[in-house]
Amino acid sequence: MPRFLQASVFAGVVWAGGVVAGSPPPADPTPPAAVPTASTLPKYSARPCCSLCPRAGDPQAYEGSKFMNDFRVLIDGRNGWLFRTALDLPTQFNVSDESLTQLHRLSEALGQRGTRIVMVYQPPRGLMDPDKLTPTQRRGYNLDMARSNYAQALQRMRSEGGVIVPALDKLVDEHKGYDYYFRRDHHWTAAGAQHTAKAVADAMKNQPGFSAIARKKFETHTQGVIGKPGTLQKVASQMCGGAYSMQYEPVFVTDPVGGDSLLGRESQPDVVLVGTSNSDSLGGYNFAGYLEENLGVDVLNVAITGGSYEGSLLHYLASKEFQQHPPKFIIWETPYQDYPDTEQMAFKVYRQAIPLVNNGCRGKTPVLERKVDLHQGNNEVLFNGGGKILPLVGKQYQLEFQFSDPAVKDLAAEVWYFSGLKESLKLHYKQYVDNGGRFNAELRSDRPDYAAATLMGVTMQLDQAPAKPLSVTAQLCERGGPQELTAQRR
């Protein structure tokens, strides 16, 4: 019985005589009030809630921010589902030649440290839950083409040496019997995470080096309930008003069998999970736990909510944990739409990640080094001169910047070359990624003219004076680790 209805009935009993348990009936001749019956109770009717308004169908209503643009254009699916026509219903997957070249470079660099990449290229919502589209929407969405092109994208990644790519296309099934994603949220459900983890484990178990990892048994159990408000429904409510109900799902946790849930784990596991909020421990999807259960090994979860697909990878590569104990496998969870294609400049991500595999310029002898107290206006940070010009060509060198303020998350510098080329180097860490004020990047080499150009110097332009004293230590050093540097010098 609804709470408000219970209150009205209770009030009627109190009004009838102010009865208190254990007290005799009062000598009041007033007849008792009529007790509500089925015929006198209020009648309520239920109807579907919260269909989208016409404004949600206007592409221009999503302009103004990248966040809103990612939800262009919301449509109503079946049974309270919402979809984004641009991101949720693609039939093409932009895995560019450039991004594959850069992925291969990262794979080679990690391979020199004994680490392999397991690429979890997460599929879109429409591909995984097409049965939640209306019949009209389903007829307009070419599922066969989407499935085929997605499988081809996975195979293209798989063709790069050393990269392990699970067969997530095998999970595409209109009659699979579970929801891979939430109804109105871009994250996967625990069921989606569980099936993905099994596919990942199937791809890893027969890989060289996996059998040497210490085995454990894990079991998964429920621990409470999660209420998912949903990012799609938040935007829908923002645009159309009204409010959707929460979607409630069980929370699952995974623990070692017969061991303490914390002390029973390896201090430095040989399998590490990096990725987005789909993988972290806050959302309740338990992807890391399902990986442990299916792999039978400890998994170190360093995924970061709000760090984008690259934030936790960069953070982990720079960490003491990776530098002192490179794992045998890094599982890299990334939503398909975040994977860098040519338009998003794949080189920008990998030119940061690859130097960090060997800890940037730390432990190396810098060719150029300077500490500068930054001020408003133009700041010369590095200069290749002083009576002797060194042959510092882009394809052989990398930069490192360490700010005195560890909270600095944005770097904007101009890199100048004697050929007349100039690059605006802009690097950014999300607010939830602790970079400690450190930035690493290779000199640009994704184009032949930059790869062969000789560095002249690096400057930083500050439009305003720093709020407090701020300095930066800039270094230029050779690329690569000891093996690669030895090969370069031959």
Side-chain angles (χ1 to χ4, degrees):
M1 183 178 291
R3 180 173 297 177
F4 67 86
L5 187 56
Q6 286 180 319
S8 64
V9 173
F10 181 76
V13 173
V14 172
W15 168 254
V19 177
V20 179
S23 62
D28 188 344
T30 306
V35 177
T37 64
S39 61
T40 60
L41 289 175
K43 300 293 191 300
Y44 298 94
S45 61
R47 59 185 179 184
C49 170
C50 313
S51 60
L52 292 171
C53 60
R55 183 167 180 258
D58 180 9
Q60 294 184 349
Y62 299 83
E63 294 180 352
S65 71
K66 182 184 183 304
F67 174 80
M68 288 298 295
N69 188 64
D70 284 346
F71 292 86
R72 185 190 312 233
V73 169
L74 289 174
I75 58 174
D76 282 309
R78 297 177 56 243
N79 301 325
W81 276 69
L82 293 177
F83 290 91
R84 304 165 292 183
T85 56
L87 291 184
D88 292 341
L89 303 175
T91 56
Q92 303 294 326
F93 298 88
N94 296 322
V95 179
S96 66
D97 290 340
E98 179 194 356
S99 68
L100 290 177
T101 297
Q102 301 304 327
L103 176 61
H104 184 51
R105 290 180 60 230
L106 177 60
S107 175
E108 286 185 327
L110 286 168
Q112 292 181 1
R113 302 292 308 272
T115 301
R116 297 187 67 189
I117 302 174
V118 183
M119 200 72 186
V120 181
Y121 184 64
Q122 190 186 98
R125 296 175 76 245
L127 184 61
M128 298 309 295
D129 292 300
D131 54 312
K132 304 308 188 297
L133 296 167
T134 66
T136 300
Q137 294 164 352
R138 178 65 186 82
R139 287 192 294 269
Y141 177 55
N142 193 332
L143 179 63
D144 291 337
M145 178 184 291
R147 179 193 287 119
S148 175
N149 289 336
Y150 176 64
Q152 290 179 26
L154 297 180
Q155 183 56 39
R156 292 194 69 202
M157 291 182 180
R158 199 175 287 124
S159 65
E160 297 300 319
V163 180
I164 303 167
V165 184
L168 300 186
D169 55 304
K170 304 300 184 184
L171 300 179
V172 178
D173 182 3
E174 289 189 83
H175 310 291
K176 60 186 182 301
Y178 66 92
D179 293 346
Y180 190 89
Y181 285 99
F182 284 93
R183 290 194 292 264
R184 295 179 293 275
D185 189 74
H186 69 279
H187 296 95
W188 55 24
T189 61
Q194 180 183 27
H195 285 81
T196 303
K198 185 179 185 307
V200 172
D202 291 343
M204 290 178 59
K205 284 182 176 179
N206 294 325
Q207 296 296 327
F210 183 80
S211 60
I213 302 175
R215 290 293 191 280
K216 285 187 179 180
K217 280 192 173 183
F218 294 85
E219 62 182 9
T220 299
H221 56 91
T222 58
Q223 190 176 76
V225 175
I226 182 175
K228 177 61 65 174
T231 50
L232 277 71
Q233 72 184 49
K234 286 181 179 179
V235 173
S237 296
Q238 178 180 331
M239 299 186 72
C240 299
Y244 290 83
S245 62
M246 300 275 276
Q247 181 177 352
Y248 292 95
E249 295 287 340
V251 172
F252 296 90
V253 295
T254 301
D255 292 314
V257 174
D260 185 88
S261 61
L262 295 177
L263 299 178
R265 299 176 186 267
E266 294 288 336
S267 58
Q268 291 298 326
D270 275 317
V271 178
V272 173
L273 172 62
V274 300
T276 69
S277 53
N278 285 293
S279 297
D280 73 6
S281 58
L282 302 177
Y285 320 123
N286 196 42
F287 183 47
Y290 287 127
L291 286 171
E292 290 184 317
E293 185 176 41
N294 284 276
L295 289 169
V297 301
D298 280 323
V299 174
L300 175 64
N301 184 6
V302 297
I304 299 175
T305 292
S308 189
Y309 80 102
E310 83 283 1
S312 64
L313 174 69
L314 298 179
H315 181 264
Y316 174 64
L317 292 178
S319 70
K320 180 177 67 175
E321 287 77 13
F322 173 79
Q323 294 300 324
Q324 295 183 358
H325 184 89
K328 288 182 171 62
F329 299 93
I330 290 179
I331 300 172
W332 190 6
E333 173 265 315
T334 177
Y336 92 92
Q337 70 270 15
D338 289 343
Y339 186 77
D341 57 20
T342 302
E343 292 181 359
Q344 294 172 311
M345 193 157 180
F347 180 63
K348 182 176 182 180
V349 173
Y350 290 102
R351 73 187 292 189
Q352 297 177 76
I354 293 171
L356 288 173
V357 172
N358 291 290
N359 211 12
C361 288
R362 296 184 180 180
K364 303 180 180 69
T365 302
V367 181
L368 298 177
E369 182 176 21
R370 189 180 181 195
K371 181 178 180 180
V372 178
D373 294 325
L374 298 173
H375 56 77
Q376 184 176 7
N378 190 57
N379 297 264
E380 182 182 271
V381 178
L382 290 175
F383 179 59
N384 182 12
K388 182 181 180 181
I389 297 176
L390 301 175
L392 307 176
V393 294
K395 65 181 179 181
Q396 295 179 352
Y397 292 91
Q398 61 193 26
L399 292 161
E400 176 157 337
F401 303 92
Q402 178 64 61
F403 287 88
S404 58
D405 183 356
V408 173
K409 297 190 179 296
D410 289 278
L411 178 143
E414 300 291 333
V415 184
W416 305 79
Y417 297 87
F418 284 102
S419 63
L421 290 171
K422 182 183 75 168
E423 179 194 7
S424 294
L425 178 62
K426 296 183 178 180
L427 305 178
H428 170 70
Y429 281 91
K430 299 293 180 68
Q431 61 175 322
Y432 301 107
V433 181
D434 181 12
N435 63 308
R438 183 188 182 192
F439 298 83
N440 291 79
E442 298 171 329
L443 287 181
R444 189 170 178 183
S445 59
D446 58 324
R447 281 176 22 187
D449 52 351
Y450 276 102
T454 300
L455 175 74
M456 181 169 64
V458 179
T459 61
M460 291 184 182
Q461 181 75 27
L462 273 64
D463 294 334
Q464 297 179 346
K468 59 182 180 180
L470 180 66
S471 65
V472 63
T473 299
Q475 295 179 322
L476 183 82
C477 64
E478 291 183 88
R479 293 190 185 188
Q483 296 177 355
E484 186 175 341
L485 292 177
T486 300
Q488 289 177 1
R489 293 190 183 106
R490 288 174 181 168

